[in-house]
Amino acid sequence: MKSEKILRLVSLYRQKLIERGVKNVPYHDKVTLISLNHSLEYCYGMLDRVEEVINEEKITEAHHCLGFIQGIFWANMVYTFADFEKHNTE
């Protein structure tokens, strides 16, 4: 997936979190989750990290972060696998 597509998904996912009233918790790579709801807050912060690694041209890291975010969204019933297939192929 190209950088521009990843950034469009970051925007889409950020908007979804805003609509759900999720607060943005800064990204930390040594976080242990305290609740499933906290995982959405963590993902919100990870969206900022995805933008950073895209700017640093670290596409593989952006893909890893995006996959993690999508998994957490699925676990929290934000999107379905069919939704992700559509997001990833459009």
Side-chain angles (χ1 to χ4, degrees):
M1 186 180 311
K2 296 188 182 224
S3 298
E4 298 78 22
K5 174 64 177 176
I6 294 170
L7 292 173
R8 282 194 301 273
L9 290 178
V10 166
S11 179
L12 173 70
Y13 295 160
R14 184 175 283 126
Q15 185 59 39
K16 178 62 87 172
L17 292 171
I18 289 168
E19 289 170 6
R20 291 176 68 112
V22 175
K23 69 179 186 174
N24 188 342
V25 173
Y27 167 80
H28 297 286
D29 62 357
K30 294 183 177 26
V31 168
T32 301
L33 292 179
I34 57 175
S35 72
L36 194 56
N37 186 53
H38 181 72
S39 65
L40 288 176
E41 295 173 349
Y42 179 74
C43 285
Y44 199 151
M46 281 189 82
L47 293 172
D48 297 334
R49 177 67 183 153
V50 172
E51 289 176 327
E52 290 172 17
V53 298
I54 290 292
N55 290 332
E56 296 168 5
E57 298 182 8
K58 297 179 180 177
I59 301 302
T60 300
E61 186 175 345
H63 286 155
H64 290 298
C65 290
L66 190 61
F68 178 86
I69 290 166
Q70 288 178 333
I72 295 297
F73 279 6
W74 178 79
N76 280 278
M77 298 175 279
V78 176
Y79 290 110
T80 66
F81 281 117
D83 292 329
F84 295 130
E85 184 176 14
K86 184 178 175 184
H87 296 168
N88 294 344
T89 58
E90 285 184 335

